[in-house]
């Protein structure tokens, strides 16, 4: 909606982006004043401008790096305090006047695009201007187009609304562009703690340099930056530490004087300084080695202390470096007591603190394991929090060992649900073993199971080995994939007849070569391959065309022959396709949660398998109600009964 001077329109009570644009070479600074029902500011901190770009309530934030030819403000109407009745949007120029500016336009953007637009025409030769204002009416917010100039400049405009201005600013109208780091309200505030890289839901600092993004996206970015200050002591980042207790450990710093804590501070002790401060931007200290890893490092600005690097930038958290003796605690530097029979007792203070921290850390670690697994930002943030507390990672791994074992067994059980171990499942298992630093007989056995399961899955998928058979006559382009001893089992009227020989599987046919008999089965005649106890059974198109073989490793032989059959009949599944035996991941998780991750028959928590209560071969469904968790022994017993 286009507004004329004096007109007004409703705006949504949401996060809005106010964009002031022009088509000349001038530079316009945007400002905002938050007014009470008296028509003036409550304190000088209700002025948002280049030296104070964020209101203490986070309701208004000035974009300090707008695109050329624009000035931007983000206005969060839901966060505006109840005693603020109006938000005035104004602007000023350092060189020239608004009468020299071409195409001056104010646009209010919401989530679904522009809401209102006001083209400022007939501007006077003034250095400051009130473009418009947001105001409350009947419980809703509206925007009014004003376009009124102030010949007395920015100082005169803000003074009109009750801001106390330093006279030095009025005497120096020209303000060259420079760094805006000084505090215009004459008070010193401690730095806020930057976000920890990898923390879920954490906020990173905005990138420097011009950015070409949508106005509302920029407003949301400013809103997130504002919220990051409020949540600097979030759950995934320990409290920042600028002071120390008597143990030398970091303690939380009082932030009562910080205007970004969301509460209005006391009135300033001197008038607002509208002078744009000179000076170059302070050069940031160089990053430490391996800057992707959040950890304590020697402070590049003071070698007598350690400083926290959060993976993105240096924070304000520090602690003093101390020369440790052989009897000092490595964590807090306090002297350790000697044991009665020799040796040193652990530090009691640190032991209590570490135990308390690991209790809560373990719960969070298990939540991360069962959701995103041992990888990603959340996982990295967990171990960064240990390093921040100066707790050795081995203590964390020891506290997490039982949960880690349960997690990898869960991975194995899920992988074997449909009888196929995919490459992603195998890699996830190996990554978990390495990341969790697990070892022992149970892990070795699980690794053997996963490796064999992956091997059989590759065979069934057609990834078959090539075997040289010098003494065997082959057809043109025939390649052998299997050549091993086998026993041919034939069921006769007087009983089974067993014939020793060699079982040879190629890409064209299956051969059995015995002492007094031989069999050739082209794959075109074979219907299926299955394992039955210690034998491999091939079903053919005719009743007498099948064959049964006893082999030393029926699982391997059945998988290889099934893969050869699929290749021959072009039945290989396309990448990402699953066969009909596969169980959806959400169904696995539901059954696992319902059965408590244990065998429903004996309660064992190791070597678990998903079992169809009614087998698929007998019409059973792949649903949570027809699935249960059994250990390997109970599952084999059930299979023998069926």
């Amino acid at each position: 909606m286009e507004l004329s001077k004096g007109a007004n329109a409703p705006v949504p009570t949401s996060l809005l982006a106010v964009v002031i644009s022009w088509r000349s070479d001038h530079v316009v600074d945007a400002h905002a004043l938050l007014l009470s029902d008296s028509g003036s500011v409550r304190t000088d901190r209700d002025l948002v401008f280049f030296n104070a770009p964020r209101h203490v309530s986070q309701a208004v934030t000035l974009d300090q790096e707008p695109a050329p030819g624009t000035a931007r403000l983000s206005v969060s109407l839901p966060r505006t305090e109840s005693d603020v009745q109006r938000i005035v949007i104004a602007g000023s120029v350092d060189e020239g006047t608004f009468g020299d500016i071409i195409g001056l336009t104010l646009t209010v953007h919401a989530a679904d695009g522009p809401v209102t637009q006001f083209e400022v025409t007939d501007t006077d030769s003034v250095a400051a201007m009130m473009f418009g204002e947001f105001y409350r009416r009947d419980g809703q917010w509206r925007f009014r187009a004003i376009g009124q100039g102030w010949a007395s400049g920015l100082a005169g405009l803000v003074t009109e609304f009750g801001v106390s201005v330093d006279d030095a600013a009025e005497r120096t109208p020209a303000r060259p562009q420079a760094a805006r780091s000084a505090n215009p309200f004459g008070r010193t505030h401690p730095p806020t703690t930057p976000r920890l890289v990898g923390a879920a839901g954490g906020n990173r600092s905005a990138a420097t340099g011009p950015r070409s993004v949508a106005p509302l996206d920029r407003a949301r970015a400013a809103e997130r930056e504002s919220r990051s200050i409020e949540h600097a002591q979030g759950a995934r980042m320990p409290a920042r530490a600028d002071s120390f207790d008597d143990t030398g450990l970091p303690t939380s710093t009082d932030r009562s004087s910080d205007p970004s804590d969301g509460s209005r501070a006391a009135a300033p002790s001197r008038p607002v300084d509208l002078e744009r401060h000179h000076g170059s931007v302070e050069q940031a200290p160089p990053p430490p080695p391996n800057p992707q890893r959040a950890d304590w490092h020697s402070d590049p600005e003071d070698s007598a202390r350690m400083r926290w690097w959060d993976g993105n930038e240096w924070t304000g958290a520090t602690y003093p470096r101390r020369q440790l003796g052989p009897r000092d605690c490595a964590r807090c530097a306090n002297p350790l007591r000697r044991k009665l029979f020799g040796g040193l007792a652990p530090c009691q203070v640190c032991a209590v603190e570490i135990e308390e921290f690991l209790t809560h850390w373990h719960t969070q670690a298990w939540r991360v394991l069962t959701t995103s697994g041992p990888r990603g930002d959340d996982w990295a943030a967990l171990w960064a929090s240990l390093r921040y507390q100066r707790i050795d990672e081995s203590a964390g791994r020891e506290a997490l060992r039982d949960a880690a074992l349960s997690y990898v067994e869960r991975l194995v059980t899920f992988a074997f649900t449909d009888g196929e171990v995919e490459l992603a499942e195998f890699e996830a298992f190996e990554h978990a073993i390495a990341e969790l630093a697990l070892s022992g007989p149970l892990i070795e056995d699980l690794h053997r199971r996963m490796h064999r399961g992956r091997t059989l899955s590759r065979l069934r998928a057609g990834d078959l080995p090539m075997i040289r058979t010098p003494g065997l006559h082959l057809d043109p382009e025939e390649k052998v994939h299997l050549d091993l001893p086998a026993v041919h089992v034939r069921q006769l009227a007087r009983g089974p007849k067993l014939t020793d020989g060699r079982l040879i599987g190629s890409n064209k046919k299956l051969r059995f070569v015995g002492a007094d008999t031989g069999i050739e089965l082209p794959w075109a005649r074979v219907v299926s391959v299955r394992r039955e106890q210690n034998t491999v059974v091939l079903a053919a198109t005719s009743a007498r065309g099948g064959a049964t073989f006893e082999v030393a490793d029926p699982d391997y032989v059945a998988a290889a022959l099934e893969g050869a059959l699929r290749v021959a009949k072009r039945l290989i599944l396309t990448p990402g396709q699953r066969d009909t035996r596969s169980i959806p991941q959400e169904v696995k998780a539901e059954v696992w949660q319902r059965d408590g991750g244990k065998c429903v028959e004996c309660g064992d928590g190791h070597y678990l398998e998903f079992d169809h209560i009614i087998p698929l071969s007998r019409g059973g469904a792949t649903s949570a109600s027809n699935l249960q968790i059994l250990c390997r022994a109970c599952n084999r017993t059930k299979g023998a009964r069926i």
Side-chain angles (χ1 to χ4, degrees):
M1 176 186 297
E2 294 189 4
L3 298 179
S4 59
K5 190 173 183 178
N8 64 81
V11 293
T13 305
S14 62
L15 176 64
L16 304 176
V18 179
V19 180
I20 303 164
S21 58
W22 58 92
R23 297 196 302 273
S24 57
D25 295 332
H26 296 78
V27 176
V28 178
D29 286 308
H31 319 295
L33 296 109
L34 286 74
L35 310 180
S36 65
D37 53 5
S38 65
S40 61
V41 297
R42 300 163 297 174
T43 72
D44 290 344
R45 292 185 181 275
D46 285 338
L47 169 63
V48 177
F49 69 118
F50 44 76
N51 282 345
R54 183 181 298 110
H55 190 259
V56 294
S57 67
Q58 321 302 333
V60 181
T61 303
L62 171 66
D63 185 351
Q64 299 183 82
E65 297 174 358
T70 65
R72 301 169 186 262
L73 289 159
S74 68
V75 180
S76 179
L77 296 179
R79 304 189 70 167
T80 304
E81 296 158 300
S82 59
D83 53 346
V84 173
Q85 299 298 313
R86 298 161 56 197
I87 301 177
V88 170
I89 306 299
S92 64
V93 292
D94 290 339
E95 298 180 358
T97 66
F98 279 100
D100 305 324
I101 297 178
I102 302 172
L104 186 62
T105 304
L106 182 145
T107 308
V108 179
H109 295 264
D112 52 355
V115 177
T116 62
Q117 189 176 62
F118 172 39
E119 186 175 349
V120 185
T121 58
D122 300 328
T123 54
D124 299 325
S125 297
V126 294
M129 175 171 286
M130 176 180 174
F131 299 122
E133 65 177 1
F134 295 93
Y135 65 97
R136 298 181 191 265
R137 175 66 59 83
D138 299 330
Q140 302 294 324
W141 283 93
R142 303 180 71 85
F143 180 80
R144 178 185 294 117
I146 297 176
Q148 178 181 349
W150 258 263
S152 55
L154 175 60
L157 189 153
V158 300
T159 303
E160 184 75 17
F161 295 103
V163 177
S164 301
V165 177
D166 190 350
D167 292 339
E170 294 188 63
R171 295 194 302 268
T172 312
R175 296 186 296 271
Q177 179 75 20
R180 304 175 179 175
S181 59
N183 177 12
F185 303 112
R187 301 179 66 152
T188 302
H189 312 297
T192 55
T193 303
R195 302 283 65 73
L196 179 66
V197 168
N203 297 307
R204 302 171 185 260
S205 302
T208 58
R211 302 182 298 276
S212 177
V213 295
L216 190 63
D217 291 339
R218 297 179 65 90
R220 284 173 173 161
E223 176 83 354
R224 288 194 298 270
E225 183 180 356
S226 300
R227 290 177 180 172
S228 72
I229 297 175
E230 296 181 22
H231 300 292
Q233 311 299 332
R236 300 190 185 280
M237 179 65 190
R240 62 182 291 273
D242 293 309
S243 60
F244 313 93
D245 58 18
D246 55 0
T247 66
L249 293 178
T251 59
S252 180
T253 301
D254 180 15
R255 301 178 57 183
S256 60
S257 62
D258 193 344
S260 62
D261 63 358
S263 61
R264 189 145 24 109
S269 58
R270 68 182 186 183
V272 174
D273 182 9
L274 297 181
E275 181 73 14
R276 201 190 305 266
H277 299 286
H278 295 266
S280 58
V281 178
E282 184 180 354
Q283 185 68 28
N290 190 14
Q292 293 80 18
R293 176 185 170 91
D295 206 345
W296 293 102
H297 297 276
S298 178
D299 190 343
E301 298 176 341
D302 185 358
S303 59
R305 64 184 185 181
M306 301 294 285
R307 189 171 175 182
W308 178 254
W309 170 265
D310 69 358
N312 185 42
E313 58 186 344
W314 293 104
T315 70
T318 62
Y319 70 88
R321 300 181 70 172
R322 299 182 181 179
Q323 293 293 333
L324 299 178
R327 295 183 55 191
D328 293 337
C329 174
R331 182 170 180 266
C332 67
N334 284 340
L336 300 177
R337 294 184 304 172
R338 290 186 178 276
K339 292 182 180 180
L340 182 61
F341 298 103
L344 298 175
C347 177
Q348 295 300 317
V349 174
C350 290
V352 172
E353 292 178 352
I354 291 174
E355 182 180 4
E356 180 180 356
F357 182 83
L358 289 179
T359 299
H360 302 284
W361 183 86
H362 177 275
T363 302
Q364 187 178 4
W366 174 245
R367 187 182 304 116
V368 173
L369 272 179
T370 54
T371 52
S372 57
R375 64 178 72 232
D377 291 345
D378 290 347
W379 184 251
L382 277 172
W383 297 98
S385 68
L386 278 185
R387 293 191 293 273
Y388 187 90
Q389 298 292 337
R390 289 186 280 165
I391 299 175
D392 192 87
E393 291 190 2
S394 61
R397 297 189 189 280
E398 182 62 29
L400 196 59
R401 179 171 177 79
D402 290 342
L405 289 173
S406 179
Y407 171 73
V408 295
E409 289 204 80
R410 181 176 183 263
L411 282 181
V412 173
T413 305
F414 277 35
F416 278 94
T417 301
D418 51 11
E420 301 292 333
V421 179
E422 303 294 337
L423 177 60
E425 295 172 326
F426 183 73
E427 290 179 345
F429 172 80
E430 289 201 318
H431 174 80
I433 295 300
E435 185 66 27
L436 297 169
L438 295 174
S439 60
L442 176 61
I443 296 301
E444 293 175 0
D445 186 66
L446 291 176
H447 193 276
R448 283 193 295 268
R449 287 183 61 197
M450 287 292 288
H451 187 272
R452 178 171 173 80
R454 178 59 190 155
T455 299
L456 299 182
S457 296
R458 291 177 58 188
L459 292 174
R460 281 190 287 267
D463 187 2
L464 301 169
M466 304 293 292
I467 298 177
R468 294 177 58 85
T469 54
L472 182 67
H473 175 72
L474 300 175
D475 295 341
E477 299 183 359
E478 186 176 8
K479 300 174 183 178
V480 176
H481 303 303
L482 193 70
D483 184 4
L484 46 78
V487 177
H488 182 213
V489 181
R490 287 185 293 174
Q491 298 294 337
L492 303 178
R494 61 179 179 271
K497 181 180 179 181
L498 307 180
T499 304
D500 294 332
R502 291 169 58 201
L503 184 64
I504 303 169
S506 71
N507 61 329
K508 292 191 174 183
K509 64 184 73 173
L510 177 69
R511 297 182 177 88
F512 177 77
V513 180
D516 56 352
T517 184
I519 298 175
E520 281 196 2
L521 282 175
W523 291 120
R525 290 173 48 195
V526 178
V527 175
S528 65
V529 179
R530 69 180 186 276
R531 171 188 180 278
E532 289 186 0
Q533 297 182 350
N534 293 327
T535 64
V536 176
V537 180
L538 285 81
T541 53
S542 61
R544 293 181 174 271
T548 301
F549 301 97
E550 286 185 359
V551 291
D553 190 347
D555 289 321
Y556 183 90
V557 174
L561 295 181
E562 183 179 349
L565 176 63
R566 286 183 172 183
V567 170
K569 294 194 173 185
R570 307 182 190 279
L571 296 177
I572 297 300
L573 299 176
T574 58
Q577 182 181 357
R578 309 283 294 194
D579 63 28
T580 56
R581 297 174 298 175
S582 65
I583 301 174
Q585 192 74 11
E586 59 272 14
V587 175
K588 297 179 188 177
E590 180 182 350
V591 175
W592 184 273
Q593 185 72 19
R594 183 198 66 200
D595 294 345
K598 297 180 180 180
C599 175
V600 297
E601 295 289 341
C602 66
D604 192 3
H606 300 300
Y607 304 108
L608 301 177
E609 300 173 349
F610 282 92
D611 170 65
H612 286 81
I613 299 173
I614 301 175
L616 290 174
S617 59
R618 300 191 179 185
T622 301
S623 62
S625 59
N626 191 47
L627 287 169
Q628 62 183 355
I629 295 179
L630 296 177
C631 66
R632 182 190 302 173
C634 293
N635 203 11
R636 299 298 179 270
T637 303
K638 177 192 171 185
R641 291 199 304 267
I642 294 177

